[in-house]
Coordinates of all heavy atoms in Angstrom, one line a residue:
M1377 N 4.5 42.1 8.5 CA 4.5 41.0 9.4 C 4.7 39.7 8.6 O 4.0 39.5 7.6 CB 3.2 41.0 10.2 CG 3.2 39.9 11.2 SD 1.7 39.8 12.2 CE 1.7 41.3 13.1
K1378 N 5.6 38.8 9.1 CA 5.8 37.6 8.4 C 4.8 36.5 8.9 O 4.3 36.6 10.0 CB 7.2 37.1 8.6 CG 8.2 38.0 8.0 CD 9.6 37.5 8.2 CE 10.6 38.5 7.6 NZ 12.0 38.1 7.7
K1379 N 4.5 35.6 8.0 CA 3.6 34.5 8.3 C 4.3 33.2 8.6 O 5.2 32.8 7.9 CB 2.6 34.3 7.2 CG 1.4 33.4 7.5 CD 0.5 33.2 6.3 CE -0.3 34.5 6.1 NZ -1.4 34.4 5.1
C1380 N 3.8 32.5 9.7 CA 4.3 31.2 10.0 C 3.2 30.2 10.1 O 2.2 30.5 10.8 CB 5.0 31.3 11.4 SG 5.7 29.7 12.0
I1381 N 3.3 29.2 9.3 CA 2.2 28.2 9.2 C 2.6 27.0 10.1 O 3.7 26.4 9.8 CB 1.9 27.8 7.8 CG1 1.5 29.0 6.9 CG2 0.8 26.7 7.8 CD1 1.4 28.7 5.5
L1382 N 1.8 26.7 11.1 CA 2.1 25.5 11.9 C 1.1 24.5 11.6 O -0.1 24.7 11.9 CB 2.0 25.9 13.4 CG 3.2 26.8 13.9 CD1 2.9 27.3 15.3 CD2 4.5 26.1 13.8
T1383 N 1.5 23.3 11.1 CA 0.6 22.2 10.8 C 0.7 21.3 12.0 O 1.8 20.8 12.3 CB 1.0 21.5 9.5 OG1 1.0 22.5 8.4 CG2 0.1 20.4 9.1
V1384 N -0.4 21.0 12.6 CA -0.4 20.2 13.8 C -1.5 19.2 13.8 O -2.4 19.2 12.9 CB -0.6 21.1 15.1 CG1 0.5 22.1 15.2 CG2 -2.0 21.8 15.0
A1385 N -1.5 18.3 14.7 CA -2.6 17.3 14.9 C -3.9 18.0 15.3 O -3.8 18.9 16.2 CB -2.2 16.2 15.9
P1386 N -5.0 17.6 14.8 CA -6.3 18.3 15.3 C -6.5 18.1 16.8 O -7.2 18.9 17.4 CB -7.3 17.5 14.5 CG -6.7 16.8 13.4 CD -5.2 16.6 13.8
T1387 N -5.9 17.1 17.4 CA -6.1 16.9 18.8 C -5.2 17.8 19.7 O -5.3 17.8 20.9 CB -5.8 15.4 19.2 OG1 -4.5 15.1 18.7 CG2 -6.8 14.5 18.5
M1388 N -4.3 18.6 19.1 CA -3.4 19.4 19.9 C -4.3 20.5 20.6 O -5.1 21.1 20.0 CB -2.4 20.1 19.0 CG -1.5 21.1 19.8 SD -0.2 21.9 18.8 CE 1.0 20.6 18.7
T1389 N -4.1 20.6 21.9 CA -4.8 21.6 22.7 C -4.4 23.0 22.3 O -3.3 23.3 21.8 CB -4.6 21.4 24.2 OG1 -3.3 21.7 24.5 CG2 -5.0 20.0 24.6
D1390 N -5.3 24.0 22.6 CA -5.1 25.4 22.3 C -3.9 25.8 23.2 O -3.1 26.7 22.8 CB -6.3 26.2 22.6 CG -7.4 26.0 21.5 OD1 -7.1 25.5 20.4 OD2 -8.5 26.3 21.9
E1391 N -3.8 25.3 24.4 CA -2.7 25.7 25.3 C -1.4 25.2 24.8 O -0.4 26.0 24.8 CB -3.0 25.0 26.7 CG -2.0 25.4 27.7 CD -2.4 24.7 29.1 OE1 -2.0 23.5 29.3 OE2 -3.1 25.3 29.8
T1392 N -1.3 24.0 24.2 CA 0.0 23.5 23.6 C 0.3 24.3 22.4 O 1.5 24.7 22.2 CB -0.2 22.0 23.3 OG1 -0.5 21.3 24.5 CG2 1.1 21.5 22.7
Y1393 N -0.7 24.6 21.6 CA -0.5 25.4 20.4 C 0.1 26.8 20.7 O 1.0 27.3 20.1 CB -1.8 25.5 19.6 CG -1.6 26.3 18.3 CD1 -0.9 25.8 17.2 CD2 -2.1 27.6 18.2 CE1 -0.8 26.6 16.1 CE2 -1.9 28.4 17.1 CZ -1.3 27.9 16.0 OH -1.1 28.7 14.9
A1394 N -0.5 27.4 21.7 CA 0.0 28.8 22.2 C 1.4 28.7 22.7 O 2.2 29.6 22.4 CB -0.9 29.3 23.3
F1395 N 1.8 27.6 23.4 CA 3.1 27.4 23.9 C 4.1 27.3 22.7 O 5.1 27.9 22.6 CB 3.2 26.2 24.8 CG 4.6 25.8 25.2 CD1 5.2 26.5 26.2 CD2 5.3 24.8 24.6 CE1 6.5 26.2 26.6 CE2 6.6 24.5 25.0 CZ 7.2 25.2 26.0
L1396 N 3.6 26.5 21.7 CA 4.4 26.3 20.5 C 4.7 27.6 19.7 O 5.8 27.9 19.3 CB 3.7 25.3 19.6 CG 4.4 24.9 18.3 CD1 5.8 24.3 18.6 CD2 3.6 23.9 17.5
C1397 N 3.6 28.4 19.6 CA 3.7 29.7 19.0 C 4.7 30.6 19.7 O 5.6 31.3 19.1 CB 2.4 30.4 18.9 SG 1.3 29.7 17.7
E1398 N 4.7 30.6 21.0 CA 5.6 31.4 21.8 C 7.0 31.0 21.6 O 7.9 31.8 21.5 CB 5.3 31.4 23.3 CG 4.1 32.3 23.7 CD 4.3 33.7 23.3 OE1 5.4 34.3 23.6 OE2 3.4 34.3 22.7
K1399 N 7.3 29.7 21.6 CA 8.6 29.2 21.3 C 9.1 29.6 19.9 O 10.3 30.0 19.7 CB 8.7 27.7 21.5 CG 8.6 27.2 22.9 CD 9.8 27.7 23.7 CE 9.7 27.3 25.2 NZ 10.9 27.9 25.9
A1400 N 8.2 29.4 18.9 CA 8.6 29.8 17.6 C 8.9 31.2 17.4 O 9.8 31.7 16.8 CB 7.5 29.3 16.6
K1401 N 8.1 32.1 18.1 CA 8.3 33.5 18.1 C 9.6 33.9 18.7 O 10.3 34.8 18.2 CB 7.2 34.2 18.8 CG 7.1 35.7 18.6 CD 5.9 36.3 19.3 CE 5.8 37.8 19.0 NZ 4.6 38.4 19.6
S1402 N 10.0 33.2 19.8 CA 11.3 33.6 20.4 C 12.5 33.1 19.5 O 13.5 33.8 19.6 CB 11.4 32.9 21.8 OG 11.5 31.5 21.7
K1403 N 12.3 32.1 18.7 CA 13.4 31.7 17.8 C 13.5 32.6 16.6 O 14.6 32.8 16.1 CB 13.1 30.2 17.3 CG 13.2 29.2 18.4 CD 14.6 29.0 18.8 CE 14.6 27.9 19.9 NZ 15.9 27.7 20.5
T1404 N 12.4 33.1 16.1 CA 12.5 34.0 14.9 C 12.9 35.4 15.3 O 13.5 36.1 14.5 CB 11.1 34.0 14.2 OG1 10.1 34.6 15.1 CG2 10.7 32.7 13.8
G1405 N 12.6 35.8 16.5 CA 12.9 37.2 16.9 C 12.2 38.2 16.1 O 12.6 39.4 16.1
A1406 N 11.1 37.9 15.5 CA 10.3 38.8 14.7 C 8.9 38.8 15.1 O 8.4 38.0 15.8 CB 10.4 38.4 13.2
D1407 N 8.2 39.9 14.6 CA 6.7 39.9 14.7 C 6.1 39.0 13.7 O 6.2 39.2 12.5 CB 6.3 41.4 14.5 CG 4.9 41.6 15.0 OD1 4.4 40.8 15.8 OD2 4.3 42.6 14.6
V1408 N 5.5 37.9 14.2 CA 5.0 36.8 13.3 C 3.5 36.6 13.5 O 3.0 36.7 14.6 CB 5.8 35.5 13.7 CG1 5.3 34.4 12.8 CG2 7.3 35.7 13.6
E1409 N 2.9 36.4 12.3 CA 1.5 36.0 12.3 C 1.4 34.5 12.2 O 2.0 33.9 11.2 CB 0.7 36.6 11.2 CG -0.7 36.2 11.0 CD -1.3 36.6 9.7 OE1 -0.7 37.4 9.0 OE2 -2.5 36.1 9.4
F1410 N 0.8 33.8 13.1 CA 0.7 32.4 13.1 C -0.6 31.9 12.5 O -1.6 32.5 12.8 CB 0.9 31.8 14.5 CG 2.3 31.9 15.1 CD1 2.6 33.0 15.9 CD2 3.3 31.0 14.7 CE1 3.8 33.2 16.4 CE2 4.5 31.2 15.2 CZ 4.8 32.3 16.0
V1411 N -0.5 30.9 11.7 CA -1.7 30.3 11.0 C -1.7 28.8 11.4 O -0.7 28.1 11.2 CB -1.6 30.4 9.5 CG1 -2.8 29.7 8.9 CG2 -1.6 31.9 9.1
R1412 N -2.7 28.4 12.1 CA -2.9 27.0 12.5 C -3.5 26.2 11.4 O -4.6 26.6 10.8 CB -3.7 26.9 13.7 CG -3.8 25.5 14.2 CD -4.6 25.4 15.5 NE -4.7 24.0 16.0 CZ -4.9 23.7 17.3 NH1 -4.9 24.7 18.2 NH2 -5.0 22.5 17.6
K1413 N -2.9 25.1 11.0 CA -3.4 24.2 10.0 C -3.5 22.8 10.6 O -2.5 22.2 11.0 CB -2.5 24.2 8.8 CG -2.9 23.4 7.6 CD -1.9 23.7 6.4 CE -2.0 22.6 5.4 NZ -1.0 22.8 4.4
N1414 N -4.7 22.3 10.8 CA -4.9 20.9 11.4 C -4.8 19.9 10.3 O -5.3 20.1 9.2 CB -6.3 20.8 12.0 CG -6.3 21.7 13.3 OD1 -5.4 21.8 14.0 ND2 -7.5 22.2 13.5
D1415 N -4.1 18.8 10.6 CA -3.8 17.8 9.6 C -3.9 16.4 10.3 O -3.2 16.1 11.2 CB -2.5 17.9 8.9 CG -2.2 16.9 7.8 OD1 -2.9 15.9 7.7 OD2 -1.3 17.2 7.0
D1416 N -4.9 15.6 9.9 CA -5.1 14.3 10.5 C -3.8 13.4 10.3 O -3.6 12.4 11.0 CB -6.3 13.5 9.9 CG -7.6 14.2 10.3 OD1 -7.6 14.7 11.5 OD2 -8.6 14.1 9.6
G1417 N -3.0 13.7 9.3 CA -1.8 12.9 9.0 C -0.7 13.2 10.1 O 0.3 12.4 10.1
V1418 N -0.8 14.2 10.8 CA 0.2 14.6 11.8 C -0.3 13.9 13.2 O -1.3 14.4 13.7 CB 0.4 16.1 12.0 CG1 1.3 16.4 13.1 CG2 0.9 16.7 10.7
I1419 N 0.4 12.9 13.6 CA 0.0 12.2 14.8 C 0.3 13.1 16.0 O -0.4 13.2 16.9 CB 0.7 10.8 14.9 CG1 0.4 10.0 13.7 CG2 0.3 10.1 16.2 CD1 1.4 8.8 13.5
A1420 N 1.6 13.5 16.0 CA 2.1 14.4 17.1 C 3.2 15.2 16.5 O 3.7 14.9 15.5 CB 2.5 13.5 18.3
G1421 N 3.6 16.2 17.3 CA 4.7 17.1 16.8 C 4.1 18.1 15.9 O 2.9 18.5 16.0
F1422 N 4.9 18.7 15.0 CA 4.4 19.8 14.1 C 5.3 19.9 12.9 O 6.4 19.4 12.9 CB 4.3 21.1 14.9 CG 5.7 21.6 15.3 CD1 6.4 22.5 14.6 CD2 6.2 21.2 16.6 CE1 7.7 22.9 15.0 CE2 7.4 21.6 17.0 CZ 8.2 22.5 16.2
V1423 N 4.8 20.6 11.9 CA 5.5 21.1 10.8 C 5.4 22.6 10.7 O 4.3 23.1 10.7 CB 5.0 20.4 9.5 CG1 5.8 20.9 8.2 CG2 5.0 18.9 9.5
M1424 N 6.5 23.3 10.6 CA 6.5 24.7 10.6 C 7.1 25.2 9.3 O 8.1 24.8 8.9 CB 7.4 25.3 11.8 CG 7.4 26.8 11.8 SD 8.2 27.5 13.3 CE 9.9 27.3 12.8
E1425 N 6.3 26.1 8.6 CA 6.7 26.8 7.4 C 6.9 28.2 7.7 O 6.0 28.9 8.1 CB 5.7 26.6 6.3 CG 5.4 25.1 6.0 CD 4.2 25.0 5.0 OE1 4.3 25.6 3.9 OE2 3.3 24.3 5.4
Y1426 N 8.2 28.7 7.5 CA 8.5 30.1 7.8 C 9.6 30.6 6.9 O 10.6 30.0 6.7 CB 8.9 30.2 9.3 CG 9.3 31.6 9.7 CD1 8.3 32.6 9.9 CD2 10.6 32.0 9.9 CE1 8.7 33.9 10.2 CE2 11.0 33.3 10.3 CZ 10.0 34.2 10.4 OH 10.3 35.5 10.8
C1427 N 9.3 31.7 6.2 CA 10.2 32.3 5.3 C 10.8 31.3 4.2 O 12.0 31.3 4.0 CB 11.4 33.0 6.0 SG 10.9 34.4 7.0
G1428 N 9.9 30.5 3.7 CA 10.4 29.5 2.7 C 11.1 28.3 3.2 O 11.5 27.4 2.4
E1429 N 11.2 28.2 4.5 CA 11.9 27.0 5.1 C 10.9 26.2 5.8 O 9.9 26.7 6.4 CB 13.0 27.4 6.0 CG 14.2 28.1 5.4 CD 15.3 28.3 6.4 OE1 15.5 27.6 7.3 OE2 16.0 29.3 6.1
V1430 N 11.0 24.9 5.7 CA 10.1 23.9 6.3 C 10.9 23.2 7.4 O 11.9 22.6 7.1 CB 9.5 22.9 5.3 CG1 8.6 21.9 6.0 CG2 8.7 23.7 4.3
T1431 N 10.4 23.2 8.6 CA 11.0 22.4 9.7 C 9.9 21.3 10.1 O 8.8 21.7 10.6 CB 11.3 23.3 10.9 OG1 12.2 24.3 10.5 CG2 11.9 22.5 12.0
D1432 N 10.2 20.1 9.8 CA 9.3 19.0 10.0 C 9.7 18.2 11.3 O 10.7 17.4 11.2 CB 9.2 18.1 8.8 CG 8.1 17.0 8.9 OD1 7.6 16.8 10.0 OD2 7.7 16.5 7.9
L1433 N 9.0 18.5 12.4 CA 9.3 17.7 13.6 C 8.1 16.9 14.0 O 7.8 16.7 15.2 CB 9.7 18.7 14.7 CG 11.0 19.5 14.5 CD1 11.2 20.5 15.6 CD2 12.1 18.6 14.4
S1434 N 7.4 16.4 13.0 CA 6.3 15.5 13.2 C 6.8 14.1 13.6 O 7.9 13.7 13.1 CB 5.4 15.4 12.0 OG 6.0 14.9 10.9
V1435 N 6.1 13.4 14.4 CA 6.4 12.1 14.8 C 6.5 11.1 13.6 O 7.4 10.3 13.5 CB 5.5 11.5 15.9 CG1 5.7 10.0 16.2 CG2 5.6 12.3 17.2
G1436 N 5.6 11.2 12.7 CA 5.6 10.3 11.5 C 6.9 10.5 10.7 O 7.5 9.5 10.3
T1437 N 7.3 11.7 10.5 CA 8.6 11.9 9.7 C 9.8 11.4 10.5 O 10.7 10.8 9.9 CB 8.7 13.4 9.4 OG1 7.7 13.8 8.6 CG2 10.0 13.7 8.7
Q1438 N 9.8 11.6 11.8 CA 10.9 11.2 12.6 C 11.0 9.6 12.6 O 12.1 9.1 12.5 CB 10.8 11.7 14.1 CG 10.8 13.2 14.2 CD 12.1 13.8 13.6 OE1 13.2 13.4 13.9 NE2 11.9 14.8 12.8
L1439 N 9.8 9.0 12.7 CA 9.8 7.5 12.6 C 10.3 7.0 11.3 O 11.0 6.0 11.2 CB 8.4 7.0 13.0 CG 8.0 7.1 14.4 CD1 6.5 6.7 14.6 CD2 8.9 6.3 15.3
G1440 N 9.9 7.7 10.2 CA 10.3 7.3 8.9 C 11.8 7.5 8.7 O 12.4 6.6 8.1
M1441 N 12.4 8.5 9.3 CA 13.8 8.7 9.2 C 14.5 7.6 10.0 O 15.6 7.0 9.5 CB 14.2 10.1 9.7 CG 13.8 11.2 8.8 SD 14.0 12.9 9.5 CE 15.6 12.9 10.1
L1442 N 14.0 7.2 11.1 CA 14.6 6.1 11.9 C 14.5 4.8 11.2 O 15.5 4.1 11.1 CB 13.9 6.0 13.3 CG 14.3 4.9 14.2 CD1 15.8 5.1 14.6 CD2 13.5 4.9 15.4
K1443 N 13.4 4.6 10.5 CA 13.2 3.3 9.8 C 14.2 3.3 8.6 O 14.9 2.2 8.4 CB 11.8 3.2 9.2 CG 11.6 2.0 8.4 CD 10.2 2.0 7.8 CE 10.0 0.8 6.9 NZ 8.7 0.8 6.2
S1444 N 14.4 4.4 7.9 CA 15.4 4.4 6.8 C 16.8 4.2 7.3 O 17.6 3.4 6.7 CB 15.3 5.8 6.1 OG 14.1 6.0 5.4
Y1445 N 17.1 4.8 8.4 CA 18.5 4.6 9.0 C 18.7 3.1 9.4 O 19.7 2.5 9.1 CB 18.6 5.5 10.2 CG 19.9 5.3 11.0 CD1 21.1 5.8 10.5 CD2 19.9 4.5 12.2 CE1 22.3 5.5 11.2 CE2 21.1 4.3 12.9 CZ 22.3 4.8 12.3 OH 23.5 4.6 13.0
L1446 N 17.7 2.5 10.1 CA 17.9 1.2 10.5 C 17.9 0.2 9.4 O 18.7 -0.8 9.4 CB 16.7 0.8 11.5 CG 16.8 1.5 12.8 CD1 15.5 1.2 13.6 CD2 18.0 1.2 13.6
T1447 N 17.1 0.4 8.4 CA 17.1 -0.6 7.2 C 18.4 -0.4 6.4 O 18.8 -1.3 5.8 CB 15.9 -0.4 6.3 OG1 15.7 0.9 5.9 CG2 14.6 -0.8 7.1
S1448 N 18.9 0.8 6.3 CA 20.2 1.0 5.6 C 21.4 0.4 6.3 O 22.4 0.1 5.7 CB 20.4 2.5 5.3 OG 20.8 3.1 6.5
R1449 N 21.2 0.1 7.6 CA 22.3 -0.4 8.4 C 22.2 -1.9 8.5 O 23.1 -2.5 9.1 CB 22.4 0.3 9.7 CG 22.5 1.8 9.6 CD 23.3 2.5 10.6 NE 24.2 1.8 11.4 CZ 25.5 1.8 11.3 NH1 26.1 2.6 10.4 NH2 26.3 1.2 12.2
E1450 N 21.2 -2.5 8.0 CA 21.0 -4.0 8.2 C 22.1 -4.8 7.6 O 22.6 -5.7 8.3 CB 19.7 -4.5 7.5 CG 18.5 -4.1 8.3 CD 17.2 -4.6 7.6 OE1 17.3 -5.2 6.5 OE2 16.1 -4.4 8.2
G1451 N 22.7 -4.4 6.5 CA 23.8 -5.2 5.9 C 25.1 -4.9 6.5 O 26.1 -5.5 6.2
N1452 N 25.2 -3.9 7.4 CA 26.4 -3.4 8.0 C 26.6 -4.0 9.4 O 27.6 -3.6 10.1 CB 26.5 -1.9 8.0 CG 26.5 -1.3 6.6 OD1 26.9 -2.0 5.6 ND2 26.0 -0.1 6.4
A1453 N 25.7 -4.8 9.9 CA 25.8 -5.2 11.3 C 26.8 -6.3 11.5 O 27.3 -7.0 10.7 CB 24.4 -5.7 11.7

């Protein structure tokens, strides 16, 4: 059985976490063991580690990417 680590905000409800696990399981198509890791640095969203790949869909990372994009375009306006 493969392991999937989901790093989430400590405020994420068990119901939302279970929904996230079901979605992740349907994407992997495998029998997966989920490990919940609470991180105060994750405001919302999640970070998923599975089979050596990391998918970071946390709000903080998405905002950081947006900031980088916008600041890199300042001189091109």
Side-chain angles (χ1 to χ4, degrees):
M1377 182 180 296
K1378 295 182 180 181
K1379 187 180 287 190
C1380 180
I1381 301 170
L1382 291 170
T1383 304
V1384 300
T1387 56
M1388 180 179 277
T1389 65
D1390 291 339
E1391 184 177 87
T1392 301
Y1393 179 75
F1395 176 79
L1396 183 59
C1397 289
E1398 282 303 311
K1399 288 295 180 183
K1401 190 174 184 178
S1402 71
K1403 292 289 183 188
T1404 62
D1407 194 18
V1408 180
E1409 173 190 354
F1410 290 96
V1411 176
R1412 181 176 181 154
K1413 186 173 159 186
N1414 291 326
D1415 184 345
D1416 289 329
V1418 177
I1419 303 165
F1422 63 93
V1423 179
M1424 181 172 81
E1425 299 173 54
Y1426 178 72
C1427 291
E1429 291 186 30
V1430 176
T1431 303
D1432 189 339
L1433 296 176
S1434 64
V1435 170
T1437 297
Q1438 299 302 311
L1439 288 174
M1441 290 170 49
L1442 178 61
K1443 179 183 177 184
S1444 293
Y1445 174 77
L1446 293 174
T1447 56
S1448 70
R1449 304 220 10 115
E1450 282 180 0
N1452 298 332

